Amino acid sequence: MDIVKEVLEKQQRELEKYKPITVEKHLECELDVGTMLITDPNDLDENEMKENRENYLLNLTRDNTQLLINSIWELPTERVDECIVAKLPDPLTVLPRLRKIPGPKPMTKWEKFAKEKGITKKNKEKKVYDETLDKWVPTYGYRRAEAEKQKDWVLEVPQNVDPMEDMFQKKVDLRNEKVAKNEIQRMKNIVRARKEEVPRSGYLGAEAATSGQLLTAVTVAKSSTASVGKFQNKLPKEKEARGIGVKELIPGSKRKASHVTDTPEKEANLDLIKSVLNKKPKIDIEKAISLQKRDERLEREENPEQGKGKKGKKGKGSRKAVGKKPKGGRGQRAPGKKPAIGRKRR
């Protein structure tokens, strides 16, 4: 009996962990089983919210979820693949859309043509039998490309084509050209669906350039040469762009002015010649006097007799020489001193 009592008590403790499926509310909750929505009109208990907010909200959420599950179990059920499935009724609550309902997709140029001519789309078979490869080959996909490579392992070179040209590369280029053409056509369909004008050239969907922008582009292109467009010929009836000159096109021309562009060429050359001719050399008087004195001293050293003759002549109007007599041959020169300029005296 003790064992039975112990088992019952253990079972009772486990049952106490789970709350009952019956939930009592002062006001009945509004249920919309079709959208799995429940609306609780009862007021919140502010005292319990202040004491333990998280626990109170957790219990409230559990009770409302239990009411929703109870209403689902009341629906007719059936077993599908070992699972019990309930069919939900139509929803009662109308949920607002984030975006508007998309309109009908516009027809492409080919779809309009097919509709006018009564052309219907035929479903392609996934695989066809290729007699060359002697096997079934898919009609599309990457395996189709592999089959084409196996099939076209050799290509014929026509007589009017360069024999050194790679025919395999030419075939790849043609395929890439078709892909690019289809992509351009797809972009044209998109622009046409948006009811925009399709440009004849340039990028699709881009705004058309104005006449001023075209003139600016021509001016910039011409001035991109080494001579800044000086030797570029003008087109017939060509206009010049306004507000664009050499200063705006050459980097750094605003900071450093150029005499070639600001003034005419003739005046610029004349100014250059005048600046060269009017340039006066700087004369160092002290250096010139020292050089003159050195030349006189050297001349006296080379011709000592001529100097004595001039010194010996005396007259009423004669004056004595101011210069000192050079002292030569007395004593020994200081070691490390540079020799005097001129002829060595004996």
Side-chain angles (χ1 to χ4, degrees):
M1 295 296 293
D2 295 337
I3 297 173
V4 175
K5 186 177 180 180
E6 186 178 353
V7 171
L8 293 174
E9 290 177 356
K10 185 178 180 181
Q11 186 178 5
Q12 187 65 26
R13 287 195 299 270
E14 290 180 357
L15 291 174
E16 288 178 356
K17 295 179 182 178
Y18 304 101
K19 294 183 178 181
I21 61 174
T22 56
V23 180
E24 295 180 359
K25 294 278 187 179
H26 295 289
L27 298 175
E28 293 184 1
C29 298
E30 298 178 2
L31 294 169
D32 187 2
V33 186
T35 54
M36 305 287 288
L37 176 66
I38 181 171
T39 306
D40 190 358
N42 295 285
D43 297 332
L44 300 175
D45 193 348
E46 295 182 358
N47 295 330
E48 293 186 8
M49 284 278 292
K50 291 179 180 179
E51 292 176 359
N52 194 349
R53 184 177 181 179
E54 294 183 0
N55 192 18
Y56 174 71
L57 293 177
L58 184 62
N59 294 332
L60 182 62
T61 306
R62 181 263 164 196
D63 293 342
N64 292 335
T65 306
Q66 184 65 53
L67 289 174
L68 182 62
I69 293 174
N70 293 342
S71 61
I72 292 174
W73 277 104
E74 292 176 359
L75 298 174
T77 59
E78 59 181 1
R79 185 177 292 275
V80 177
D81 296 335
E82 299 182 358
C83 296
I84 300 175
V85 181
K87 185 178 180 181
L88 298 178
D90 296 334
L92 303 176
T93 306
V94 179
L95 299 176
R97 287 182 60 89
L98 178 63
R99 299 176 182 175
K100 65 178 183 179
I101 300 174
K105 190 176 180 181
M107 299 175 66
T108 61
K109 193 174 181 180
W110 163 251
E111 289 175 350
K112 290 180 180 179
F113 176 77
K115 186 177 180 182
E116 293 175 358
K117 298 297 180 179
I119 301 173
T120 57
K121 186 178 180 180
K122 297 180 180 179
N123 295 327
K124 292 184 179 180
E125 297 181 358
K126 292 185 177 180
K127 288 187 177 183
V128 293
Y129 184 77
D130 194 342
E131 297 180 355
T132 305
L133 299 176
D134 194 15
K135 63 179 182 179
W136 290 90
V137 177
T139 55
Y140 53 88
Y142 72 97
R143 291 187 178 178
R144 174 68 180 179
E146 292 180 359
E148 289 293 332
K149 289 181 180 179
Q150 295 177 4
K151 186 177 179 180
D152 298 335
W153 62 274
V154 62
L155 294 176
E156 182 180 359
V157 180
Q159 295 181 358
N160 56 349
V161 178
D162 185 8
M164 302 303 295
E165 187 177 0
D166 190 358
M167 301 305 296
F168 293 97
Q169 185 63 33
K170 186 177 180 180
K171 187 177 180 181
V172 172
D173 295 340
L174 289 173
R175 184 171 66 250
N176 294 337
E177 186 178 351
K178 289 182 181 179
V179 171
K181 185 177 179 180
N182 292 335
E183 181 66 17
I184 292 173
Q185 188 63 37
R186 185 184 70 84
M187 295 175 69
K188 284 184 178 180
N189 291 333
I190 294 173
V191 175
R192 193 180 292 106
R194 293 180 181 178
K195 297 181 180 180
E196 297 179 0
E197 294 183 359
V198 181
R200 294 183 179 179
S201 62
Y203 295 101
L204 296 174
E207 297 181 358
T210 60
S211 59
Q213 292 175 349
L214 293 175
L215 286 175
T216 303
V218 171
T219 305
V220 173
K222 283 190 173 183
S223 59
S224 299
T225 58
S227 61
V228 198
K230 184 177 180 181
F231 303 104
Q232 297 294 325
N233 298 326
K234 288 187 177 181
L235 299 173
K237 297 182 180 180
E238 180 183 352
K239 297 180 180 179
E240 294 182 357
R242 296 180 180 179
I244 295 180
V246 182
K247 290 185 178 181
E248 287 78 6
L249 297 175
I250 300 177
S253 59
K254 292 184 179 179
R255 293 172 293 180
K256 185 177 180 181
S258 175
H259 64 276
V260 178
T261 57
D262 294 341
T263 59
E265 188 175 0
K266 185 177 180 181
E267 295 179 4
N269 293 334
L270 288 174
D271 294 341
L272 181 62
I273 293 171
K274 288 179 181 179
S275 63
V276 173
L277 295 177
N278 296 334
K279 196 172 184 180
K280 296 181 179 180
K282 292 183 180 180
I283 300 174
D284 193 350
I285 299 174
E286 295 180 358
K287 189 174 181 181
I289 293 172
S290 62
L291 291 174
Q292 187 178 2
K293 287 182 178 181
R294 190 189 68 177
D295 293 341
E296 291 176 356
R297 181 171 57 82
L298 293 175
E299 188 177 353
R300 286 196 301 270
E301 291 177 355
E302 290 178 358
N303 303 319
E305 296 178 357
Q306 184 179 357
K308 287 179 180 181
K310 290 181 180 180
K311 187 177 177 181
K313 290 181 180 180
K314 291 183 181 181
K316 293 181 179 180
S318 64
R319 294 181 180 180
K320 292 183 180 181
V322 180
K324 294 181 180 181
K325 184 178 180 180
K327 297 180 181 180
R330 294 182 180 180
Q332 197 174 10
R333 293 185 182 274
K337 189 176 181 181
K338 293 182 179 179
I341 302 174
R343 190 176 63 180
K344 186 176 180 180
R345 300 183 67 179
R346 295 181 182 178

